[in-house]
Amino acid sequence: MTPDAVVLNRIYSNEQNCDEFVSPEQSLKISLTRIERRGFAKAVFLCRPNIEVAARNLAKVISHLFPSVNEEGFLLDEALKAACEAYEEAAACAASDAESMTAFFKAMLEVVVEQLPQWRVHAVMPNGSTIACPPCISIFDWIKKRQAERVVYTKHGVRVSQEERQALRIMLTSALLSFADIVHLQQGQGKTT
């Protein structure tokens, strides 16, 4: 048995049938509705479409079904809630558009970087075998390509080094933003590229 193998002789508390997965757009709407920030986010997204794209891309990577570390909520919900609060706080301090956008993205990213390494995600195939899902790819595309029946989330519990966290930040940033948006965010922090 490999370290990433999952024992399948029981039902896990964190598993979903693949038919429970909806589009990334719908996942984003579900999470924003659960945290009661849909109206706020809609106003932000209207003015900052690149933030909406980043949030939708995050929903594409983890979906609204990915559990949070405390297993009482969902990772996308927690990331979006932190992002909305960071944006609101930056805007209240008269931050520039770029600074507010940077605050939204960084808060969303940090929640995911903190929690994502604590989980392993596996697809359960029709024959009962499992396949580990690599991080930072679209879970929707991956499930469809594999023709999986279920997705199982298991706690990993291994400490992650700062270097691994930084690598995950880089991977997620490249999965969520275009190069132009990354440059724009860097400029919003007062950095030059």
Side-chain angles (χ1 to χ4, degrees):
M1 183 184 270
T2 66
D4 283 336
V6 176
V7 178
L8 297 175
N9 60 358
R10 65 184 178 101
I11 298 193
Y12 288 87
S13 58
N14 294 303
E15 75 174 60
Q16 281 87 34
N17 289 326
C18 288
D19 59 2
E20 294 179 64
F21 286 86
V22 294
S23 71
E25 295 79 12
Q26 196 63 23
S27 276
L28 182 59
K29 287 177 185 177
I30 290 168
S31 279
L32 288 169
T33 300
R34 283 193 299 225
I35 63 169
E36 299 177 352
R37 297 305 295 240
R38 192 166 174 199
F40 176 82
K42 189 175 181 180
V44 170
F45 295 165
L46 186 61
C47 298
R48 319 267 180 307
N50 49 354
I51 287 296
E52 180 179 16
V53 169
R56 189 177 333 110
N57 286 342
L58 180 59
K60 192 177 193 182
V61 169
I62 62 175
S63 89
H64 67 288
L65 299 170
F66 203 108
S68 66
V69 167
N70 65 16
E71 298 185 56
E72 294 176 6
F74 299 93
L75 180 54
L76 185 59
D77 296 7
E78 290 183 13
L80 291 171
K81 183 177 180 185
C84 288
E85 289 170 357
Y87 186 95
E88 223 170 10
E89 186 177 310
C93 295
S96 69
D97 287 346
E99 290 169 330
S100 297
M101 189 174 71
T102 300
F104 184 101
F105 182 76
K106 284 181 70 176
M108 183 174 72
L109 184 67
E110 286 310 309
V111 169
V112 177
V113 166
E114 187 64 33
Q115 294 191 34
L116 194 62
Q118 301 304 314
W119 294 97
R120 292 296 177 254
V121 181
H122 289 82
V124 180
M125 307 308 292
N127 67 2
S129 66
T130 65
I131 301 172
C133 179
C136 302
I137 65 164
S138 167
I139 196 163
F140 297 94
D141 297 340
W142 181 73
I143 289 168
K144 191 180 292 183
K145 183 178 178 182
R146 300 285 183 233
Q147 298 178 343
E149 286 186 345
R150 301 178 298 180
V151 174
V152 176
Y153 305 90
T154 53
K155 281 251 184 109
H156 186 55
V158 170
R159 296 186 66 100
V160 180
S161 71
Q162 282 302 109
E163 292 80 14
E164 290 169 316
R165 286 182 198 278
Q166 186 60 22
L168 182 57
R169 268 186 207 91
I170 292 167
M171 287 175 62
L172 276 168
T173 300
S174 66
L176 303 182
L177 294 174
S178 69
F179 178 75
D181 288 335
I182 293 170
V183 170
H184 188 71
L185 286 176
Q186 289 296 312
Q187 291 170 341
Q189 294 178 356
K191 297 178 182 175
T192 57
T193 55

